[in-house]
Amino acid sequence: MDLTLLQAETEEDIASLADMASRIWFEYFVSIISKEQIEYMVEKFQSVAAIQDQTKRQGYEYYFMNVHGANIGYLGIKEEDGRLFLSKFYILKEHRGKGYASQAMKLLTELCKKRSLGSIWLTVNRHNHSTIAVYEKKGFKTVRTQVADIGNGFVMDDYVMEKKIAE
């Protein structure tokens, strides 16, 4: 396995992660949501201040997906109610389609087993068809839909998907 997970812990790590998040979000989500909503969401959820708050006060953990010393993406997770919430899972454009998402999912599954967590769940935009297809291929099933008001006149229109973890 080429991919390792490196926890983002220092201020420099968090700044680097926030920069990567902004790059990925503006490159990827412009076909799904407006530029204004991306700007709002990056500031609200993926800025340095937001990530620091999530890791210090809300129980989130952030990891770089690292391949041979290079950070190629990141993920954010949170344990809750015996399950793992996969809050963020993003890979830089030039590294997509190389099997890294599958490797990261294997590492997350191992983490769940080690922590005795029964499933991984996530939310995904209902119009993000390619990502939904990837999650389905990885064993996730849609369990419900949800529309969440995130402020400033914006909503997240998502599927909630879950994958059971075998003992």
Short mmCIF file of all heavy atoms in Angstrom, two decimals, residues 90-137:
data_model
loop_
_atom_site.label_atom_id
_atom_site.label_comp_id
_atom_site.label_asym_id
_atom_site.label_seq_id
_atom_site.Cartn_x
_atom_site.Cartn_y
_atom_site.Cartn_z
N TYR A 90 -11.20 14.11 0.35
CA TYR A 90 -10.88 14.81 -0.89
C TYR A 90 -9.47 14.49 -1.36
O TYR A 90 -8.53 14.45 -0.56
CB TYR A 90 -11.00 16.32 -0.70
CG TYR A 90 -12.40 16.75 -0.31
CD1 TYR A 90 -12.68 17.14 0.99
CD2 TYR A 90 -13.44 16.72 -1.22
CE1 TYR A 90 -13.97 17.51 1.36
CE2 TYR A 90 -14.72 17.09 -0.86
CZ TYR A 90 -14.98 17.48 0.43
OH TYR A 90 -16.25 17.84 0.80
N ILE A 91 -9.32 14.30 -2.66
CA ILE A 91 -8.04 14.01 -3.28
C ILE A 91 -7.80 15.05 -4.37
O ILE A 91 -8.71 15.39 -5.13
CB ILE A 91 -8.02 12.58 -3.87
CG1 ILE A 91 -8.19 11.55 -2.73
CG2 ILE A 91 -6.72 12.32 -4.64
CD1 ILE A 91 -8.31 10.11 -3.20
N LEU A 92 -6.56 15.55 -4.43
CA LEU A 92 -6.20 16.51 -5.47
C LEU A 92 -6.45 15.91 -6.85
O LEU A 92 -6.23 14.70 -7.07
CB LEU A 92 -4.73 16.92 -5.34
CG LEU A 92 -4.38 17.77 -4.12
CD1 LEU A 92 -2.86 17.78 -3.90
CD2 LEU A 92 -4.91 19.19 -4.28
N LYS A 93 -6.88 16.74 -7.77
CA LYS A 93 -7.29 16.30 -9.11
C LYS A 93 -6.26 15.41 -9.79
O LYS A 93 -6.60 14.36 -10.35
CB LYS A 93 -7.57 17.53 -9.98
CG LYS A 93 -8.10 17.21 -11.35
CD LYS A 93 -8.41 18.47 -12.13
CE LYS A 93 -9.08 18.14 -13.44
NZ LYS A 93 -9.50 19.35 -14.15
N GLU A 94 -4.99 15.79 -9.72
CA GLU A 94 -3.95 15.04 -10.44
C GLU A 94 -3.68 13.66 -9.83
O GLU A 94 -2.99 12.84 -10.43
CB GLU A 94 -2.66 15.85 -10.53
CG GLU A 94 -2.04 16.23 -9.21
CD GLU A 94 -2.53 17.57 -8.64
OE1 GLU A 94 -3.65 18.03 -8.99
OE2 GLU A 94 -1.79 18.14 -7.83
N HIS A 95 -4.25 13.37 -8.68
CA HIS A 95 -4.04 12.07 -8.03
C HIS A 95 -5.29 11.20 -8.01
O HIS A 95 -5.25 10.09 -7.48
CB HIS A 95 -3.53 12.29 -6.59
CG HIS A 95 -2.21 12.99 -6.55
ND1 HIS A 95 -1.02 12.38 -6.88
CD2 HIS A 95 -1.90 14.28 -6.25
CE1 HIS A 95 -0.04 13.25 -6.77
NE2 HIS A 95 -0.54 14.41 -6.39
N ARG A 96 -6.38 11.68 -8.60
CA ARG A 96 -7.61 10.88 -8.63
C ARG A 96 -7.49 9.76 -9.66
O ARG A 96 -6.75 9.87 -10.63
CB ARG A 96 -8.81 11.77 -8.98
CG ARG A 96 -9.13 12.74 -7.87
CD ARG A 96 -10.35 13.59 -8.15
NE ARG A 96 -10.26 14.79 -7.33
CZ ARG A 96 -10.53 16.01 -7.72
NH1 ARG A 96 -10.98 16.23 -8.94
NH2 ARG A 96 -10.38 17.03 -6.90
N GLY A 97 -8.23 8.69 -9.42
CA GLY A 97 -8.24 7.58 -10.38
C GLY A 97 -7.03 6.68 -10.29
O GLY A 97 -6.79 5.87 -11.19
N LYS A 98 -6.26 6.76 -9.21
CA LYS A 98 -5.04 5.96 -9.07
C LYS A 98 -5.16 4.93 -7.94
O LYS A 98 -4.17 4.33 -7.54
CB LYS A 98 -3.84 6.87 -8.81
CG LYS A 98 -3.56 7.81 -9.97
CD LYS A 98 -2.38 8.71 -9.70
CE LYS A 98 -2.13 9.64 -10.89
NZ LYS A 98 -1.02 10.55 -10.64
N GLY A 99 -6.38 4.76 -7.42
CA GLY A 99 -6.59 3.76 -6.37
C GLY A 99 -6.38 4.26 -4.95
O GLY A 99 -6.51 3.49 -4.00
N TYR A 100 -6.09 5.54 -4.79
CA TYR A 100 -5.82 6.06 -3.45
C TYR A 100 -7.08 6.12 -2.58
O TYR A 100 -7.01 5.91 -1.37
CB TYR A 100 -5.15 7.43 -3.50
CG TYR A 100 -3.80 7.39 -4.17
CD1 TYR A 100 -3.47 8.29 -5.18
CD2 TYR A 100 -2.85 6.44 -3.81
CE1 TYR A 100 -2.23 8.24 -5.80
CE2 TYR A 100 -1.61 6.38 -4.43
CZ TYR A 100 -1.30 7.29 -5.42
OH TYR A 100 -0.07 7.24 -6.04
N ALA A 101 -8.23 6.37 -3.19
CA ALA A 101 -9.47 6.37 -2.41
C ALA A 101 -9.73 4.97 -1.85
O ALA A 101 -10.14 4.84 -0.69
CB ALA A 101 -10.65 6.83 -3.27
N SER A 102 -9.46 3.95 -2.62
CA SER A 102 -9.64 2.57 -2.15
C SER A 102 -8.68 2.27 -1.01
O SER A 102 -9.05 1.65 0.00
CB SER A 102 -9.41 1.57 -3.28
OG SER A 102 -10.41 1.71 -4.26
N GLN A 103 -7.43 2.72 -1.14
CA GLN A 103 -6.45 2.50 -0.08
C GLN A 103 -6.87 3.24 1.20
O GLN A 103 -6.77 2.69 2.30
CB GLN A 103 -5.06 2.96 -0.53
CG GLN A 103 -4.45 2.08 -1.59
CD GLN A 103 -3.06 2.54 -2.00
OE1 GLN A 103 -2.28 3.00 -1.18
NE2 GLN A 103 -2.76 2.41 -3.28
N ALA A 104 -7.33 4.47 1.05
CA ALA A 104 -7.77 5.25 2.22
C ALA A 104 -8.97 4.58 2.88
O ALA A 104 -9.06 4.52 4.11
CB ALA A 104 -8.12 6.68 1.80
N MET A 105 -9.88 4.04 2.07
CA MET A 105 -11.06 3.38 2.63
C MET A 105 -10.65 2.13 3.41
O MET A 105 -11.22 1.84 4.47
CB MET A 105 -12.05 3.05 1.51
CG MET A 105 -13.45 2.81 1.99
SD MET A 105 -14.20 4.16 2.94
CE MET A 105 -14.41 5.42 1.73
N LYS A 106 -9.65 1.41 2.92
CA LYS A 106 -9.14 0.24 3.67
C LYS A 106 -8.57 0.67 5.01
O LYS A 106 -8.81 0.02 6.03
CB LYS A 106 -8.07 -0.49 2.85
CG LYS A 106 -8.62 -1.36 1.75
CD LYS A 106 -7.51 -2.07 1.00
CE LYS A 106 -8.07 -2.78 -0.21
NZ LYS A 106 -7.07 -3.11 -1.20
N LEU A 107 -7.82 1.77 5.02
CA LEU A 107 -7.25 2.26 6.27
C LEU A 107 -8.35 2.72 7.24
O LEU A 107 -8.26 2.47 8.44
CB LEU A 107 -6.26 3.41 6.00
CG LEU A 107 -4.97 3.00 5.28
CD1 LEU A 107 -4.17 4.23 4.87
CD2 LEU A 107 -4.13 2.08 6.15
N LEU A 108 -9.39 3.35 6.72
CA LEU A 108 -10.51 3.76 7.57
C LEU A 108 -11.25 2.55 8.14
O LEU A 108 -11.67 2.55 9.30
CB LEU A 108 -11.48 4.65 6.80
CG LEU A 108 -10.98 6.07 6.50
CD1 LEU A 108 -11.95 6.79 5.57
CD2 LEU A 108 -10.76 6.85 7.78
N THR A 109 -11.41 1.51 7.32
CA THR A 109 -12.06 0.28 7.78
C THR A 109 -11.23 -0.35 8.91
O THR A 109 -11.79 -0.77 9.93
CB THR A 109 -12.26 -0.70 6.62
OG1 THR A 109 -13.09 -0.07 5.64
CG2 THR A 109 -12.89 -2.00 7.07
N GLU A 110 -9.90 -0.40 8.74
CA GLU A 110 -9.02 -0.93 9.79
C GLU A 110 -9.14 -0.10 11.07
O GLU A 110 -9.17 -0.64 12.17
CB GLU A 110 -7.57 -0.95 9.30
CG GLU A 110 -7.29 -1.98 8.23
CD GLU A 110 -5.91 -1.82 7.58
OE1 GLU A 110 -5.06 -1.09 8.14
OE2 GLU A 110 -5.71 -2.42 6.52
N LEU A 111 -9.21 1.21 10.91
CA LEU A 111 -9.35 2.12 12.05
C LEU A 111 -10.66 1.82 12.80
O LEU A 111 -10.68 1.77 14.03
CB LEU A 111 -9.31 3.58 11.59
CG LEU A 111 -9.40 4.63 12.68
CD1 LEU A 111 -8.09 4.74 13.43
CD2 LEU A 111 -9.75 5.97 12.06
N CYS A 112 -11.74 1.61 12.05
CA CYS A 112 -13.03 1.29 12.66
C CYS A 112 -12.94 -0.01 13.46
O CYS A 112 -13.45 -0.10 14.58
CB CYS A 112 -14.12 1.18 11.61
SG CYS A 112 -14.66 2.77 10.97
N LYS A 113 -12.29 -1.01 12.88
CA LYS A 113 -12.16 -2.29 13.58
C LYS A 113 -11.34 -2.11 14.86
O LYS A 113 -11.71 -2.64 15.92
CB LYS A 113 -11.52 -3.33 12.66
CG LYS A 113 -12.47 -3.79 11.56
CD LYS A 113 -11.80 -4.77 10.63
CE LYS A 113 -12.76 -5.20 9.53
NZ LYS A 113 -12.14 -6.10 8.56
N LYS A 114 -10.25 -1.36 14.77
CA LYS A 114 -9.39 -1.12 15.93
C LYS A 114 -10.14 -0.38 17.04
O LYS A 114 -9.94 -0.64 18.22
CB LYS A 114 -8.16 -0.30 15.49
CG LYS A 114 -7.05 -0.24 16.52
CD LYS A 114 -5.88 0.63 16.08
CE LYS A 114 -5.38 0.29 14.69
NZ LYS A 114 -4.24 1.11 14.27
N ARG A 115 -11.03 0.53 16.65
CA ARG A 115 -11.78 1.33 17.61
C ARG A 115 -13.16 0.75 17.93
O ARG A 115 -13.95 1.37 18.62
CB ARG A 115 -11.95 2.76 17.08
CG ARG A 115 -10.62 3.50 16.94
CD ARG A 115 -10.84 4.92 16.49
NE ARG A 115 -9.58 5.63 16.28
CZ ARG A 115 -9.49 6.92 15.97
NH1 ARG A 115 -10.60 7.65 15.85
NH2 ARG A 115 -8.32 7.48 15.77
N SER A 116 -13.44 -0.44 17.41
CA SER A 116 -14.72 -1.13 17.63
C SER A 116 -15.92 -0.29 17.18
O SER A 116 -16.93 -0.19 17.88
CB SER A 116 -14.88 -1.54 19.10
OG SER A 116 -13.84 -2.42 19.48
N LEU A 117 -15.81 0.30 16.00
CA LEU A 117 -16.89 1.10 15.42
C LEU A 117 -17.61 0.26 14.38
O LEU A 117 -16.98 -0.40 13.56
CB LEU A 117 -16.34 2.39 14.81
CG LEU A 117 -15.56 3.29 15.78
CD1 LEU A 117 -14.90 4.44 15.05
CD2 LEU A 117 -16.47 3.80 16.89
N GLY A 118 -18.94 0.30 14.38
CA GLY A 118 -19.75 -0.59 13.55
C GLY A 118 -19.97 -0.18 12.11
O GLY A 118 -20.36 -0.99 11.29
N SER A 119 -19.74 1.10 11.82
CA SER A 119 -19.97 1.55 10.44
C SER A 119 -19.28 2.88 10.19
O SER A 119 -18.83 3.56 11.12
CB SER A 119 -21.47 1.68 10.16
OG SER A 119 -22.04 2.70 10.97
N ILE A 120 -19.20 3.23 8.92
CA ILE A 120 -18.73 4.54 8.47
C ILE A 120 -19.94 5.20 7.81
O ILE A 120 -20.62 4.57 6.99
CB ILE A 120 -17.59 4.43 7.44
CG1 ILE A 120 -16.41 3.66 8.02
CG2 ILE A 120 -17.17 5.82 6.97
CD1 ILE A 120 -15.32 3.34 6.99
N TRP A 121 -20.22 6.45 8.16
CA TRP A 121 -21.30 7.16 7.48
C TRP A 121 -20.79 8.51 7.00
O TRP A 121 -19.77 9.03 7.47
CB TRP A 121 -22.53 7.28 8.37
CG TRP A 121 -22.45 8.26 9.50
CD1 TRP A 121 -21.87 8.06 10.71
CD2 TRP A 121 -22.96 9.59 9.51
NE1 TRP A 121 -22.00 9.19 11.48
CE2 TRP A 121 -22.66 10.14 10.77
CE3 TRP A 121 -23.64 10.38 8.58
CZ2 TRP A 121 -23.02 11.45 11.13
CZ3 TRP A 121 -24.01 11.67 8.93
CH2 TRP A 121 -23.70 12.19 10.19
N LEU A 122 -21.50 9.06 6.01
CA LEU A 122 -21.08 10.31 5.39
C LEU A 122 -22.28 10.99 4.75
O LEU A 122 -23.34 10.39 4.62
CB LEU A 122 -19.99 10.04 4.34
CG LEU A 122 -20.32 9.03 3.24
CD1 LEU A 122 -21.04 9.66 2.07
CD2 LEU A 122 -19.07 8.34 2.76
N THR A 123 -22.07 12.23 4.38
CA THR A 123 -23.06 12.94 3.57
C THR A 123 -22.40 13.29 2.24
O THR A 123 -21.21 13.57 2.19
CB THR A 123 -23.55 14.23 4.27
OG1 THR A 123 -22.44 15.11 4.48
CG2 THR A 123 -24.24 13.92 5.59
N VAL A 124 -23.19 13.26 1.18
CA VAL A 124 -22.67 13.59 -0.15
C VAL A 124 -23.77 14.35 -0.91
O VAL A 124 -24.94 13.98 -0.84
CB VAL A 124 -22.21 12.31 -0.92
CG1 VAL A 124 -23.34 11.31 -1.09
CG2 VAL A 124 -21.58 12.67 -2.26
N ASN A 125 -23.37 15.40 -1.58
CA ASN A 125 -24.32 16.21 -2.36
C ASN A 125 -25.06 15.31 -3.35
O ASN A 125 -24.44 14.52 -4.07
CB ASN A 125 -23.56 17.33 -3.09
CG ASN A 125 -24.47 18.26 -3.83
OD1 ASN A 125 -25.12 17.88 -4.80
ND2 ASN A 125 -24.52 19.50 -3.38
N ARG A 126 -26.38 15.46 -3.39
CA ARG A 126 -27.21 14.61 -4.25
C ARG A 126 -26.88 14.75 -5.74
O ARG A 126 -27.23 13.88 -6.53
CB ARG A 126 -28.68 14.92 -4.04
CG ARG A 126 -29.24 14.26 -2.82
CD ARG A 126 -30.73 14.26 -2.85
NE ARG A 126 -31.24 15.23 -1.90
CZ ARG A 126 -32.51 15.35 -1.58
NH1 ARG A 126 -33.42 14.61 -2.18
NH2 ARG A 126 -32.89 16.22 -0.69
N HIS A 127 -26.24 15.84 -6.12
CA HIS A 127 -25.91 16.05 -7.53
C HIS A 127 -24.47 15.65 -7.86
O HIS A 127 -24.02 15.82 -8.99
CB HIS A 127 -26.15 17.52 -7.90
CG HIS A 127 -27.55 17.95 -7.60
ND1 HIS A 127 -28.64 17.52 -8.33
CD2 HIS A 127 -28.06 18.74 -6.62
CE1 HIS A 127 -29.75 18.03 -7.82
NE2 HIS A 127 -29.42 18.77 -6.78
N ASN A 128 -23.76 15.11 -6.89
CA ASN A 128 -22.36 14.70 -7.07
C ASN A 128 -22.35 13.22 -7.50
O ASN A 128 -21.90 12.33 -6.78
CB ASN A 128 -21.61 14.92 -5.74
CG ASN A 128 -20.12 14.82 -5.90
OD1 ASN A 128 -19.62 14.39 -6.93
ND2 ASN A 128 -19.40 15.22 -4.86
N HIS A 129 -22.84 12.98 -8.70
CA HIS A 129 -23.10 11.63 -9.19
C HIS A 129 -21.86 10.75 -9.25
O HIS A 129 -21.92 9.56 -8.89
CB HIS A 129 -23.79 11.67 -10.55
CG HIS A 129 -25.05 12.48 -10.53
ND1 HIS A 129 -26.17 12.09 -9.83
CD2 HIS A 129 -25.35 13.68 -11.09
CE1 HIS A 129 -27.12 13.01 -9.97
NE2 HIS A 129 -26.64 13.99 -10.72
N SER A 130 -20.72 11.29 -9.67
CA SER A 130 -19.51 10.47 -9.78
C SER A 130 -19.04 10.01 -8.40
O SER A 130 -18.63 8.86 -8.23
CB SER A 130 -18.40 11.21 -10.52
OG SER A 130 -18.05 12.40 -9.84
N THR A 131 -19.12 10.88 -7.42
CA THR A 131 -18.70 10.51 -6.06
C THR A 131 -19.67 9.51 -5.45
O THR A 131 -19.25 8.56 -4.78
CB THR A 131 -18.56 11.77 -5.18
OG1 THR A 131 -17.56 12.60 -5.78
CG2 THR A 131 -18.16 11.43 -3.77
N ILE A 132 -20.95 9.69 -5.68
CA ILE A 132 -21.95 8.74 -5.18
C ILE A 132 -21.64 7.35 -5.74
O ILE A 132 -21.66 6.35 -5.01
CB ILE A 132 -23.38 9.19 -5.54
CG1 ILE A 132 -23.75 10.45 -4.75
CG2 ILE A 132 -24.39 8.07 -5.30
CD1 ILE A 132 -24.97 11.18 -5.27
N ALA A 133 -21.31 7.29 -7.03
CA ALA A 133 -20.99 6.01 -7.67
C ALA A 133 -19.76 5.36 -7.02
O ALA A 133 -19.73 4.14 -6.81
CB ALA A 133 -20.77 6.19 -9.16
N VAL A 134 -18.76 6.17 -6.68
CA VAL A 134 -17.57 5.65 -6.02
C VAL A 134 -17.94 5.07 -4.65
O VAL A 134 -17.54 3.95 -4.31
CB VAL A 134 -16.48 6.75 -5.87
CG1 VAL A 134 -15.35 6.29 -4.94
CG2 VAL A 134 -15.92 7.14 -7.23
N TYR A 135 -18.72 5.82 -3.88
CA TYR A 135 -19.11 5.33 -2.56
C TYR A 135 -19.93 4.04 -2.66
O TYR A 135 -19.74 3.11 -1.87
CB TYR A 135 -19.88 6.39 -1.77
CG TYR A 135 -19.02 7.50 -1.24
CD1 TYR A 135 -19.38 8.82 -1.40
CD2 TYR A 135 -17.82 7.23 -0.57
CE1 TYR A 135 -18.59 9.86 -0.91
CE2 TYR A 135 -17.02 8.25 -0.08
CZ TYR A 135 -17.41 9.56 -0.24
OH TYR A 135 -16.63 10.57 0.24
N GLU A 136 -20.83 3.97 -3.63
CA GLU A 136 -21.62 2.74 -3.82
C GLU A 136 -20.70 1.57 -4.14
O GLU A 136 -20.88 0.46 -3.62
CB GLU A 136 -22.67 2.95 -4.91
CG GLU A 136 -23.80 3.85 -4.46
CD GLU A 136 -24.79 4.21 -5.55
OE1 GLU A 136 -24.46 4.09 -6.75
OE2 GLU A 136 -25.91 4.63 -5.20
N LYS A 137 -19.71 1.81 -4.98
CA LYS A 137 -18.75 0.76 -5.34
C LYS A 137 -17.96 0.29 -4.11
O LYS A 137 -17.57 -0.88 -4.03
CB LYS A 137 -17.79 1.30 -6.42
CG LYS A 137 -16.87 0.27 -7.01
CD LYS A 137 -16.04 0.89 -8.12
CE LYS A 137 -15.00 -0.10 -8.61
NZ LYS A 137 -14.09 0.50 -9.58
#
